Amino acid sequence: MEGAAAIIRHRTVEANGISIHVAEAGGEGAPAVLFLHGFPELWYSWRHQMEHLAARGFRCLAPDLRGYGGTTAPPDIESYTAFHIVGDLVALLDALGLAKVFVVGHDWGAIIAWYLCLFRPERVTALVNTSVAFMRHVFIRAGAGAVKTTDYFHKAYGPTYYICRFQEPGVAEKEFAPAHARHIMRKILCNRFTADGAGKPESEESPLPTWITEADVDYFAAAFEKTGFTGGINYYRNMDRNWELAAPWADAKVQVPTKFIVGDGDLTYHYARIQDYLHKGGFKVDVPLLEDVVVIPGAGHFIQQEKAEEVSNLIYSFLASGSNFK
């Protein structure tokens, strides 16, 4: 961790009407990689990959996304649509003078990356996405039988599913109390998060897994104690809005070279019919330049931290092999 911290620089960039905190590693003239984190995370989730790629000749940029960490968190829910977040990223690239970048996403960062590749593919050289596959019916209103995103999750998993619970303002905030941010982050990162346990302090905590340290938990906790979790939760409250806004792309395909990485223990790898979609041709239809789907045994949701070296090597080998990237 000391090595990663030593090479990472921090700056604040004014872009798209907000202040964006960006962590950066590597030389400014090198090929740029934009890392997009998920919920409830920060740029810090990519610390291992940033160190790895910066040491191999890449410029690594990892912003705190809108609503997170050191980046502006607008108060209104409607300010967290996919248009806003993609707008932030495009404006950030413009501010940094970058016409085109490699993109690496995880969780909500992966969703935003899919939208970025649909809306502004000319800004993306190639994509490595993790955990969340391209799910057209969830992300985009398409076809006569289209089902609103929250209705889909309600029908599939019931009203207590976290995406459904997150919709009503104030409800999730009671579960995710900033005062208990350390406890919440510890449970989530240890994959022991439960709906009725979040936001409630416990007298005893289980040992951390080997891939994360108390100092890592402290870093996340300090940020969320300061900001709260509402900014990140507001992404979920815009899922139906995103679904509507993306309707003009109902038939669009993701036309950038892509690698997809997922853990075999990740909840997202066990969505209904998702494995058939990933492995039997459907994914390749929607993402024609898909080069590979990698399933990592024994990995859960926070794959870039749990299997840091393996994921870093997979990202590097893909980005470094890009003789066909334009």
Side-chain angles (χ1 to χ4, degrees):
M1 187 54 222
E2 289 79 10
I7 65 166
I8 291 176
R9 310 178 297 276
H10 297 269
R11 69 162 86 179
T12 299
V13 178
E14 302 297 322
N16 202 29
I18 65 171
S19 298
I20 302 174
H21 166 244
V22 183
E24 185 172 355
E28 291 203 1
V33 185
L34 180 67
F35 292 92
L36 307 178
H37 68 78
F39 174 86
E41 300 181 76
L42 302 163
W43 75 268
Y44 191 79
S45 296
W46 297 110
R47 59 199 180 279
H48 304 297
Q49 287 71 40
M50 293 177 73
E51 178 183 17
H52 189 93
L53 268 69
R56 288 159 178 80
F58 287 89
R59 178 185 182 186
C60 300
L61 302 162
D64 286 335
L65 297 181
R66 173 181 292 236
Y68 287 92
T71 294
T72 302
D76 51 314
I77 293 171
E78 295 80 8
S79 292
Y80 293 84
T81 70
F83 280 8
H84 286 85
I85 315 304
V86 170
D88 293 344
L89 300 177
V90 171
L92 174 63
L93 298 184
D94 288 345
L96 296 177
L98 296 169
K100 211 167 187 180
V101 292
F102 296 106
V103 175
V104 181
H106 171 257
D107 186 74
W108 257 104
I111 297 173
I112 295 301
W114 293 126
Y115 281 128
L116 173 62
C117 291
L118 284 179
F119 302 161
R120 298 298 301 272
E122 79 282 2
R123 305 305 295 264
V124 181
T125 303
L127 170 68
V128 179
N129 248 356
T130 68
S131 294
V132 181
F134 182 72
M135 297 180 287
R136 186 182 301 277
H137 64 291
V138 173
F139 300 156
I140 305 170
R141 180 169 62 78
V147 177
K148 193 164 60 173
T149 305
T150 55
D151 288 345
Y152 166 80
F153 283 113
H154 188 282
K155 182 177 180 181
Y157 302 107
T160 62
Y161 189 59
Y162 75 102
I163 290 175
C164 302
R165 294 198 326 275
F166 279 7
Q167 296 306 311
E168 185 178 344
V171 173
E173 282 80 353
K174 292 178 181 177
E175 295 182 22
F176 287 80
H180 303 314
R182 192 179 195 287
H183 169 75
I184 293 166
M185 291 307 305
R186 188 183 177 104
K187 289 193 72 175
I188 292 173
L189 291 167
C190 292
N191 203 27
R192 296 192 302 274
F193 175 69
T194 59
D196 60 356
K200 299 176 183 177
E202 291 179 351
S203 57
E204 295 183 10
E205 291 183 325
S206 301
L208 290 172
T210 56
W211 53 267
I212 195 164
T213 68
E214 295 288 356
D216 295 331
V217 177
D218 288 343
Y219 190 94
F220 286 110
F224 286 106
E225 284 170 359
K226 182 177 179 181
T227 66
F229 292 88
T230 298
I233 292 168
N234 281 339
Y235 285 57
Y236 294 92
R237 293 172 177 154
N238 279 282
M239 292 185 88
D240 289 344
R241 191 172 284 110
N242 292 340
W243 181 80
E244 290 282 5
L245 290 171
W249 289 268
D251 300 321
K253 298 181 186 299
V254 177
Q255 297 282 7
V256 302
T258 300
K259 178 192 260 325
F260 183 70
I261 307 169
V262 66
D264 68 356
D266 195 327
L267 172 69
T268 63
Y269 190 59
H270 297 276
Y271 284 155
R273 297 181 294 279
I274 194 72
Q275 293 183 29
D276 282 350
Y277 172 70
L278 289 174
H279 301 300
K280 295 184 178 180
F283 194 23
K284 179 73 171 177
V285 170
D286 285 335
V287 188
L289 301 180
L290 177 71
E291 295 197 10
D292 200 10
V293 173
V294 179
V295 181
I296 298 182
H301 184 63
F302 297 99
I303 193 167
Q304 80 273 47
Q305 298 180 79
E306 295 178 42
K307 302 291 184 178
E309 185 173 3
E310 187 170 354
V311 170
S312 296
N313 283 327
L314 286 167
I315 294 170
Y316 173 71
S317 64
F318 181 60
L319 302 189
S321 69
S323 58
N324 61 330
F325 299 161
K326 297 180 181 178

